[in-house]
Amino acid sequence: MAFFIASSPHAHSRRSTPTLMKLLALCALPGLVAQTLFFGWGTLIQLALAIVVALILEGAVMLLRKRPPLMALRDYSAIVTAWLLAVAIPPYAPWWIVVIGLIFAIIIAKHLYGGIGQNPFNPAMVAYVVLLISFPVQMTSWSAPSDLQSIQSTFSDALNLIFTGFDNDGMSLYQIRSGIDGITMATPLDAVKTGLHSGMTMPEVMAQPQFNGIAGVGWMWVNLAYLIGGLLMIKLRVTNWHIPAGVLGGLTIASVLGMLFMPGEVASPAFHLLSGATMLGAFFIATDPVSASTTLKGRLIFGALIGLLVYIIRSWGGFPDGVAFAVLLANMCVPLIDHYTKPRTYGHEK
């Protein structure tokens, strides 16, 4: 047997990239199931569409780069990117939203920088931000959870809504979201932001029908499902605990301080932790090994920065949820964070 000498860092795990990607997808299944139960079949349809489009784009780009496409397709990184984008967009968003988003994620955010392992930004979040800024109506058209919907959509309805804009009865997404009373149901984060900016207090906002006293009907259970999947990731050593702990800790500390200095004017820590994309972002997005910090102290700082930015954007920014923006802003800071948190070289004073 040949003896190979290689420079550091030395990996102590025999897990390959495909194995880690498959374990990540496995751990994300509880969240996917919860989203499907509360928000309908659209989530699964978007996921299937996203995976197909991602694999086609990945293979096409590899051919253009004159590299074997199977090598890239077998690492499952394109599938994970497709998965994260599919669960981040509204379930009944038009089909072209997924296509445009993955073009940016796969071609620009990933391969333009050299492919897997070279991208400085999280590809799925680059795609999400581009879509949110370019198509704000489609990207904020979340339907109410199934418990609050007056019109229940079947799998066939979801399929038609995504590809034609109308269900089997000819109703548009706006009509379905409005329901019988003609009032469009806002997401909990959007309801809180709108209510507080209009002069309402938090108890008044929380009295609205989309809340269950904590973080919103459906959204709380989706976040708890992603929390379970995230803890399973840590248990299986797919990722480490530093970044999720930093994200959740930073968000919790910021929201506690907000309640102390502005009681009745800001949302509670429980609301921030169990609403929007908090748990998905903390465990499955911020932990991207390529675009995140690489040092132990740096990961804690990186996560805490994301948590703080999420709170700031949610409370005073122009968008209801700030996970994608926070992750990309923290990605920009990674070189600086790593520079000042790198371990001291053995034998050197500094």
Side-chain angles (χ1 to χ4, degrees):
M1 294 179 61
F3 180 72
F4 295 98
I5 300 177
S7 62
S8 60
H10 302 289
H12 295 279
S13 175
R14 294 182 181 273
R15 289 174 177 171
S16 62
T17 298
T19 300
L20 291 175
M21 294 297 176
K22 286 187 285 187
L23 286 173
L24 188 149
L26 177 66
C27 294
L29 280 178
L32 177 66
V33 171
Q35 276 192 250
T36 304
L37 289 175
F38 285 102
F39 295 101
W41 292 103
T43 302
L44 290 181
I45 297 172
Q46 298 283 14
L47 176 59
L49 174 63
I51 290 175
V52 171
V53 173
L55 291 177
I56 292 173
L57 289 171
E58 184 86 356
V61 173
M62 291 299 287
L63 288 174
L64 288 174
R65 296 179 62 189
K66 298 181 179 180
R67 296 186 179 183
L70 288 179
M71 181 180 67
L73 296 177
R74 287 172 179 168
D75 63 24
Y76 297 101
S77 62
I79 293 179
V80 170
T81 298
W83 190 306
L84 293 177
L85 181 62
V87 299
I89 65 175
Y92 301 127
W95 62 270
W96 47 266
I97 286 287
V98 168
V99 175
I100 294 175
L102 286 171
I103 288 174
F104 273 90
I106 301 296
I107 298 178
I108 298 177
K110 181 180 178 181
H111 283 285
L112 192 65
Y113 289 95
I116 186 171
Q118 305 296 322
N119 50 285
F121 301 101
N122 186 295
M125 292 302 96
V126 170
Y128 182 88
V129 168
V130 169
L131 291 172
L132 185 60
I133 294 174
S134 303
F135 310 103
V137 175
Q138 289 80 4
M139 288 295 291
T140 54
S141 296
W142 282 85
S143 59
S146 56
D147 293 347
L148 301 178
Q149 287 182 9
S150 56
I151 302 173
Q152 299 296 325
S153 298
T154 64
F155 180 86
S156 179
D157 288 325
L159 200 64
N160 284 325
L161 279 168
I162 292 172
F163 287 98
T164 68
F166 299 92
D167 67 2
N168 295 333
D169 297 323
M171 298 184 66
S172 66
L173 177 58
Y174 178 80
Q175 292 172 310
I176 293 174
R177 292 181 65 220
S178 300
I180 299 173
D181 56 9
I183 300 174
T184 302
M185 185 73 68
T187 63
L189 285 171
D190 194 30
V192 167
K193 182 179 287 290
T194 303
L196 293 177
H197 286 181
S198 63
M200 298 173 65
T201 62
M202 271 305 299
E204 293 173 335
V205 173
M206 297 298 288
Q208 297 182 52
Q210 61 264 52
F211 295 98
N212 58 354
I214 300 177
V217 175
W219 293 94
M220 180 183 72
W221 296 108
V222 170
N223 272 277
L224 288 174
Y226 278 117
L227 173 61
I228 293 172
L231 294 176
L232 181 61
M233 282 179 63
I234 295 175
K235 176 68 175 178
L236 296 176
R237 296 186 178 181
V238 178
T239 187
N240 56 67
W241 59 269
H242 300 81
I243 293 177
V247 174
L248 301 181
L251 182 57
T252 301
I253 293 172
S255 54
V256 167
L257 292 176
M259 288 195 68
L260 290 176
F261 289 100
M262 296 175 289
E265 300 178 15
V266 293
S268 67
F271 174 83
H272 279 291
L273 291 173
L274 298 176
S275 190
T278 300
M279 296 300 171
L280 174 66
F283 288 96
F284 295 92
I285 296 175
T287 54
D288 175 28
V290 179
S291 57
S293 179
T294 57
T295 66
L296 295 181
K297 291 181 180 178
R299 289 168 184 164
L300 288 170
I301 296 171
F302 175 79
L305 177 61
I306 292 175
L308 176 62
L309 289 172
V310 167
Y311 181 78
I312 292 173
I313 295 171
R314 285 180 177 179
S315 301
W316 301 286
F319 295 93
D321 203 352
V323 171
F325 291 97
V327 169
L328 294 181
L329 289 171
N331 288 158
M332 295 181 185
C333 301
V334 165
L336 184 67
I337 294 173
D338 284 350
H339 176 75
Y340 285 103
T341 59
K342 61 184 178 182
R344 180 172 60 88
T345 304
Y346 181 77
H348 288 256
E349 294 183 359
K350 294 183 180 181

